[in-house]
Amino acid sequence: MSTTSAPPRDPIAIIGAGCRLPGASGPSAFWDVLAGERDTVGEIPPGRFPRVDRIGTRVGGFLEDIDSFDASFFSISPYEAMRIDPQHRLLIEVTWEAIEDAGIPLRKLAGSRTAVYTSCLWSDYWDRLRRAGMYDVHAAVGGGNWGNLSGRISYLFDLRGPSMSVEATCSTSLVAVHLACREMWAGQTDMAIVGGVNLLLAPDIYLGLADAGVLSPEGRCRFGDADADGYVRSEAVVALLLKPLSRALADGDRVYASIIGTAVNSNGRGAGTMIAAGAGGQEAMLREAYRDAGVRPGQIDYIEAHGPGTPSGDLTELTALARVMGEGREPGQRCLVGSAKSNIGHGEGAAGLVGLLKAALALQHRTIPATLNVHRPHPLFEQPGTPLELVRRTREWPERPWPAMAGVSSFGLSATNAHVVLAEAPARPAARRRRSGAFLMPLSARDERALPDLALRYADILQQSTASPYDICFSAGDRRTHHGHRVAVVGTNGRGIAAALRCYAAGGAPQSVVTGTAKDGVTPKVVYVFPGQGAQWPGMARGLLNDNPVFARRLRECDSAIHDELGWSLIDLLREGRAPTGTDEIQPAVWAIQVALASLWSAWGIRPDLMIGHSMGEIAAATASGALTVRQGAAVVCRRSRLLTRLGESGQMWAVQVGEAHAREAIGENADRVCVAVINSAHSCVLAGDADALGEVVGRLRRDGVFCKQVQVAYASHAPQVEPLRSDLIEALAELRPRPGAVPMHSTMLDKLIDGSELDAGYWMENLRRPVRFASAVRAALPDEGPVLFIEISPHPLLASAIEDEIAAAGAAGTVIPSLRRDEPELECMLRSLAVAYVQGCDPDWSRVYPGGRFTPLPGYPWQRRRFWVDPQDSAPPAIATTALPAVAEGDVTAAPAAPTESDAVATLPALPAPEAAAADPDRHGTADAPLADRSPAAAEITKYVVMRSARILGMSPEELDLDSPITVHGLDSVLAAKLSAQIKADLGVHVRVGELLRPRPLSDLTGELCKAASLRAVAR
């Protein structure tokens, strides 16, 4: 690629695209239209606007379902959605589609210096709102103000770069691309979203254009035809995500094409009139664009022309191109020219982005689509020596010794000219071949009803895509935003996962599918639980040792430390498939695998908030927390287990299914020889001590019908029988110097939280001697609110039943998952548990679950749209229903619910009696701690009031409100919050501050506050 004096700079990559175009919903569908040489222009839809004879044409390029919008996805209330221009609504959805297409999850986009530039020329919907009397602030912001479109997108996705709406008539959206590139080249922004939208909702502009004679009577754009007679108006929505190429490649993004130069200028007075095209201005703009790109015009293979098909416009554009594009061109190699307007019509303010998207797709596919509707090429193409050739049939991209390049032009009635120079994306390295194994596919949606559709879309891509299941699952995890309603599937191949997804979508419940709901902003508290010995089995974790580098690296570290202490290799033992025997093999082996499993869970992003160790499991917990180094942990477990071998068969241990009090009662007169060694749960203990005495105790329990099982150990741990080891053990660990760990531990020996600095030699003797208070540790880990996820870190689960007993007794929200299970495929088992963690709200680090994963395009989100529309005949504000609006209940909003007034009928609300007020004592922030389920009928009335009033303010059905979610999730903003506050004051005489309504807390909190306030008012009376 030859260059001029332009300084080297990073090209701007197009990494994401979304579009709604006539006959095409999405970039791939648009390419099908182009490559299939299809014309998607059609009749004006019935009812779009009244028939007006002066239009002169009844055709255009139109979109379907422009009255529909998935407002709940964006937490926009139905009340506000009704008042937002459908052009804004469509561009919001298409912008999300572009973000998804780029594979950038919202958590990485939010807060970034991402700019937003939008183009939206007309606002016909505003007239509908005014005629319907709907001219409040939401209508002014959403329907009567073009500048708020970019601001809304920046707000919804928390983007911190420049945000502006641009207007330069039909060249607007390409001018916006120019501005976006300049900002990135100047280092002022990191990324940019450029969007354009054009809907045809009223005949007014049609009339003006018809009077000017620029609309085609035949209803076809015939760019490049000698008999071209005007253009066809078209609806279009396009959004592109732009990013510096070097960063895009480093981040593994898919690149459609890259922008290497841009130019924008004006004709000034050079064309004689403002609205006439000017060859001089266009020629100057083209030269500037190629100087900016650092390439010769002769190196450009294809020009996507503005090409509206007007006689004067085509002549001017082709004349300017002919003057410039021959410079530096090799003999016999013409510059190909075409226009997408021949396929879909003229998208006006969005037309520049349509042309840019077409050129980028053509570069990606190395194919130049045909320009349609040409019967007799323009004479300029026949002139001797012309460097231009009209593309009348779809053809492969010409082979050149330099990268393929294209130019895109856009002009406007404002005399503003814009041109963008594109180059093909660098070749992606071939995908690595990966061994088959187990895969976890995560899916999520904002609306549970979207999940079956999403499952079917993913099933299709798993079966149809050439990408590997590894890369598809990686992309679904790492390159998608994860919403509250979740599905996860584990399988060993793409075909099996696809079959499970189809079964789920059909209403089935295959074992490989896990479902759950994660509340916004609520992540489970994660507790690692390390059991004692007893989970070992031959060849345990051998699969992970072979397949998972994180696990293998940590296990090798533990193996080295064990070898230095005891002189044998755990890894050799595992590879041989031999079961560890004897305490001095079993305990070090279990410890090492526990430590390695904890490392793997942490690497996968499921990091602990707390650790609990059970008996010798505390050694692994201390090592995993960082209180002990691997060498120190190995010293404790190896030296102590070696000393334990001296005890021989000095006692027994029995697990009994009774609580602590019942166990002590059963021990009775044998208390000097038998003790309660472990309290696992309210219904489970372990007894330890003299074998004969234990036999008597267990015999009595069995006669009473109690389940009893002997623990397979040769000595009585957590009992007096281990006292002979005290001095030797403390001496063996005298040099131990623990430190505070990175994660707190709940000591099951001390029954309290510790930081790890207490774990000296004396502690490890008491850990062996004193009882294990595991049940108490589990109870302490269960908070008053919020879910808890217990992960059992062991080769096989031992404590799940005990933990579940304590969860049930506490009435808490808790789940227990294993790491491995005896003789089950290890990676599959881990991934099944990871699936449970995911659907409950954990956010795995998918780049570590699938290291080296390659981004592959995925299906888009299945919108759950409802109709929000003001019909043209609406001439007055619609009446308010006294209850839920019927239209809302049916799924559509066709009339605008106004804010409730003090005259609305509200049932008389009974005050709570004074004693109940104490149960609703608010904290210093004003929130109430009052469980609704325990309240009186009066509280139920207040709950009903809150739901009805909130729903009416938001314009939605009461059944749609979720008391466990913040009301802001349903679209309450500061304006609607002020209305709700005023209405509550009028109805109940209680002042609730607007800021309190907008806090991220459950709506049920408001009910609790109103209950308390009503109680206090009753007392005052």
Side-chain angles (χ1 to χ4, degrees):
M1 187 184 297
S2 66
T3 60
T4 66
S5 59
R9 66 187 177 196
D10 201 359
I12 303 300
I14 301 172
I15 63 169
C19 68
R20 308 271 178 83
L21 300 170
S25 182
S28 61
F30 181 37
W31 181 250
D32 290 342
V33 168
L34 295 169
E37 300 183 5
R38 289 163 46 203
D39 182 341
T40 58
V41 169
E43 289 285 329
I44 297 174
R48 179 58 66 92
F49 39 75
R51 185 177 185 88
V52 179
D53 293 336
R54 288 173 53 204
I55 287 178
T57 180
R58 296 300 299 174
V59 300
F62 289 92
L63 304 181
E64 297 178 349
D65 300 325
I66 63 171
D67 55 353
S68 299
F69 178 51
D70 193 344
S72 63
F73 181 90
F74 300 101
S75 296
I76 294 174
S77 69
Y79 180 91
E80 184 177 8
M82 172 77 79
R83 291 155 173 79
I84 299 176
D85 191 311
Q87 296 179 112
H88 296 204
R89 302 190 310 227
L90 280 169
L91 188 55
I92 290 167
E93 287 186 351
V94 169
T95 296
W96 179 263
E97 291 168 6
I99 291 170
E100 278 202 322
D101 186 61
I104 300 182
L106 194 55
R107 60 183 169 79
K108 292 185 178 179
L109 197 62
S112 66
R113 292 191 311 164
T114 298
V116 179
Y117 301 88
T118 59
S119 165
C120 181
L121 299 184
W122 323 115
S123 186
D124 299 328
Y125 193 70
W126 171 243
D127 293 332
R128 293 172 178 248
L129 293 173
R130 290 174 59 228
R131 287 198 301 271
M134 298 164 59
Y135 34 72
D136 58 11
V137 66
H138 287 99
V141 170
N145 189 316
W146 294 280
N148 279 320
L149 174 55
S150 57
R152 190 185 294 274
I153 291 171
S154 295
Y155 167 77
L156 287 173
F157 307 133
D158 193 18
L159 310 178
R160 307 300 176 91
S163 182
M164 65 188 77
S165 293
V166 182
E167 186 170 355
T169 62
C170 293
S171 58
T172 298
S173 61
L174 216 57
V175 170
V177 172
H178 169 80
L179 295 174
C181 292
R182 296 292 146 181
E183 284 290 308
M184 278 185 278
W185 281 326
Q188 299 301 308
T189 57
D190 299 327
M191 288 186 289
I193 292 169
V194 183
V197 58
N198 190 62
L199 292 184
L200 311 177
L201 303 182
D204 307 46
I205 303 301
Y206 263 105
L207 295 173
L209 295 171
D211 287 344
V214 297
L215 294 181
S216 169
E218 293 186 10
R220 291 294 181 270
C221 286
R222 297 169 61 187
F223 168 69
D225 192 288
D227 301 315
D229 57 1
Y231 82 85
V232 177
R233 300 191 73 199
S234 174
E235 297 182 326
V237 193
V238 182
L240 301 180
L241 190 56
L242 310 180
K243 183 180 186 179
L245 179 62
S246 61
R247 283 189 51 218
L249 296 177
D251 293 343
D253 298 329
R254 180 267 317 272
V255 178
Y256 285 97
S258 57
I259 298 170
I260 59 175
T262 67
V264 171
N265 74 358
S266 173
N267 293 329
R269 295 179 64 90
T273 68
M274 185 184 78
I275 64 174
Q282 293 182 22
E283 179 182 348
M285 175 205 64
L286 291 168
R287 295 188 190 282
E288 174 57 30
Y290 292 106
R291 278 195 299 271
D292 187 64
V295 299
R296 300 187 310 273
Q299 293 177 278
I300 302 302
D301 301 309
Y302 173 69
I303 293 292
E304 173 63 21
H306 181 66
T310 60
S312 62
D314 285 6
L315 177 60
T316 300
E317 182 172 11
L318 292 172
T319 298
L321 287 171
R323 292 174 183 173
V324 175
M325 301 313 296
E327 296 177 2
R329 187 167 297 277
E330 297 180 4
Q333 294 185 348
R334 290 187 173 187
C335 180
L336 303 172
V337 183
S339 173
K341 294 178 180 64
S342 69
N343 299 91
I344 65 167
H346 187 349
E348 298 175 335
L353 283 176
V354 172
L356 185 60
L357 177 57
K358 174 189 171 181
L361 291 170
L363 283 164
Q364 182 189 39
H365 292 277
R366 291 193 63 85
T367 300
I368 302 176
T371 294
L372 311 182
N373 307 320
V374 178
H375 306 301
R376 189 165 61 94
H378 196 284
L380 192 145
F381 291 111
E382 308 300 327
Q383 291 181 0
T386 180
L388 306 179
E389 179 183 347
L390 184 64
V391 185
R392 298 185 64 187
R393 59 176 180 81
T394 300
R395 60 178 70 182
E396 293 183 359
W397 203 279
E399 291 294 334
R400 302 283 188 253
W402 52 78
M405 289 180 284
V408 183
S409 289
S410 193
F411 311 125
L413 291 176
S414 62
T416 301
N417 308 311
H419 194 77
V420 170
V421 185
L422 290 175
E424 67 178 332
R428 294 184 78 186
R432 293 192 305 170
R433 297 180 65 87
R434 302 186 184 279
R435 288 184 296 175
S436 60
F439 309 102
L440 167 59
M441 168 70 79
L443 306 180
S444 68
R446 288 292 301 271
D447 189 321
E448 188 175 16
R449 293 170 297 180
L451 282 172
D453 286 344
L454 193 64
L456 290 176
R457 294 183 183 189
Y458 273 78
D460 288 343
I461 197 173
L462 281 163
Q463 290 183 319
Q464 299 169 7
S465 175
T466 58
S468 71
Y470 189 98
D471 289 335
I472 293 173
C473 292
F474 159 75
S475 300
D478 192 64
R479 305 300 291 263
R480 276 290 189 260
T481 297
H482 296 282
H483 309 293
H485 297 284
R486 299 183 174 188
V487 173
V489 187
V490 176
T492 57
N493 55 61
R495 186 177 296 104
I497 296 174
L501 287 171
R502 293 190 189 282
C503 180
Y504 162 77
Q511 290 186 341
S512 58
V513 175
V514 181
T515 62
T517 302
K519 290 290 184 183
D520 286 344
V522 178
T523 302
K525 176 182 180 181
V526 176
V527 181
Y528 284 6
V529 178
F530 300 82
Q533 72 182 69
Q536 66 276 2
W537 48 282
M540 55 184 173
R542 184 167 53 187
L544 287 179
L545 175 62
N546 294 332
D547 298 334
N548 190 278
V550 173
F551 180 87
R553 184 165 51 249
R554 191 68 160 169
L555 193 68
R556 283 194 293 269
E557 187 180 359
C558 295
D559 177 68
S560 175
I562 291 171
H563 186 274
D564 291 347
E565 288 285 340
L566 298 176
W568 58 273
S569 169
L570 170 63
I571 289 178
D572 288 347
L573 182 148
L574 297 179
R575 292 201 187 283
E576 293 167 5
R578 182 169 60 85
T581 56
T583 303
D584 55 346
E585 276 193 357
I586 293 172
Q587 292 194 0
V590 171
W591 165 81
I593 289 173
Q594 288 178 325
V595 171
L597 286 171
S599 291
L600 181 53
W601 277 112
S602 292
W604 281 357
I606 313 301
R607 299 180 180 89
D609 300 294
L610 177 69
M611 295 191 179
I612 299 175
H614 185 288
S615 187
M616 65 148 284
E618 284 203 316
I619 308 173
T623 309
S625 75
L628 300 180
T629 65
V630 167
R631 290 282 167 181
Q632 290 173 326
V636 174
V637 72
C638 292
R639 296 174 192 180
R640 198 175 77 168
S641 63
R642 184 169 51 195
L643 287 172
L644 283 168
T645 60
R646 296 181 187 175
L647 294 177
E649 296 185 3
S650 58
Q652 291 182 355
M653 301 183 75
W654 281 79
V656 295
Q657 290 296 103
V658 295
E660 181 181 4
H662 190 167
R664 293 191 185 283
E665 180 182 347
I667 290 171
E669 68 277 7
N670 291 304
D672 58 334
R673 294 188 296 162
V674 177
C675 65
V676 177
V678 180
I679 304 97
N680 279 329
S681 75
H683 310 292
S684 175
C685 290
V686 176
L687 308 182
D690 177 77
D692 293 338
L694 266 172
E696 295 179 17
V697 174
V698 168
R700 285 196 296 270
L701 288 170
R702 280 180 166 169
R703 285 192 293 274
D704 292 339
V706 174
F707 176 79
C708 303
K709 181 180 180 181
Q710 186 173 359
V711 180
Q712 297 304 308
V713 293
Y715 57 90
S717 189
H718 310 291
Q721 281 80 358
V722 299
E723 275 296 337
L725 303 180
R726 179 174 293 274
S727 59
D728 288 343
L729 179 56
I730 291 176
E731 181 181 354
L733 300 177
E735 297 179 358
L736 192 64
R737 297 292 182 268
R739 60 190 177 187
V743 181
M745 288 176 55
H746 189 115
S747 167
T748 51
M749 185 268 286
L750 298 173
D751 196 13
K752 67 176 184 179
L753 280 177
I754 60 175
D755 67 8
S757 58
E758 306 90 336
L759 304 177
D760 58 8
Y763 182 92
W764 295 113
M765 179 58 218
E766 295 304 318
N767 166 272
L768 183 63
R769 169 64 183 86
R770 291 167 61 175
V772 177
R773 301 197 170 274
F774 181 72
S776 180
V778 172
R779 284 195 297 271
L782 295 168
D784 294 333
E785 296 181 0
V788 184
L789 181 68
F790 294 91
I791 305 178
E792 192 162 345
I793 311 290
S794 72
H796 185 76
L798 299 178
L799 298 172
S801 295
I803 298 171
E804 288 168 351
D805 281 351
E806 292 306 310
I807 292 171
T815 304
V816 191
I817 56 176
S819 296
L820 304 178
R821 288 186 182 276
R822 184 177 289 110
D823 297 325
E824 290 189 10
E826 291 154 6
L827 184 56
E828 276 188 69
C829 191
M830 288 282 289
L831 290 178
R832 280 196 297 270
S833 291
L834 183 63
V836 175
Y838 167 73
V839 301
Q840 295 204 354
C842 291
D843 293 314
D845 184 343
W846 300 101
S847 66
R848 302 294 297 276
V849 178
Y850 296 104
R854 175 188 173 104
F855 172 55
T856 188
L858 298 174
Y861 187 85
W863 300 112
Q864 303 300 297
R865 297 186 180 94
R866 290 165 52 182
R867 188 174 190 266
F868 298 99
W869 199 250
V870 176
D871 291 317
Q873 62 268 25
D874 293 340
S875 58
I880 296 181
T882 56
T883 57
L885 296 173
V888 173
E890 294 168 4
D892 295 335
V893 178
T894 56
T901 64
E902 293 187 18
S903 61
D904 290 340
V906 178
T908 301
L909 299 173
L912 292 178
E916 293 195 51
D921 185 23
D923 62 19
R924 60 188 179 90
H925 297 295
T927 59
D929 182 14
L932 297 176
D934 298 336
R935 291 207 167 268
S936 67
E941 287 296 320
I942 289 181
T943 299
K944 179 180 178 182
Y945 166 82
V946 169
V947 170
M948 294 296 292
R949 272 298 181 211
S950 300
R952 195 176 299 178
I953 285 282
L954 295 167
M956 60 195 300
S957 168
E959 289 76 15
E960 295 177 285
L961 277 177
D962 181 5
L963 284 169
D964 294 328
S965 297
I967 191 173
T968 51
V969 168
H970 299 292
L972 190 80
D973 57 20
S974 57
V975 174
L976 294 179
K979 293 180 180 180
L980 181 57
S981 174
Q983 195 63 61
I984 293 172
K985 177 72 172 178
D987 292 339
L988 304 182
V990 177
H991 176 58
V992 180
R993 295 191 303 274
V994 169
E996 288 296 308
L997 293 172
L998 295 174
R999 284 179 56 203
R1001 57 177 184 154
L1003 180 58
S1004 57
D1005 282 2
L1006 175 61
T1007 301
E1009 290 175 24
L1010 292 178
C1011 286
K1012 179 182 185 303
S1015 297
L1016 294 177
R1017 290 185 67 202
V1019 172
R1021 288 198 297 268

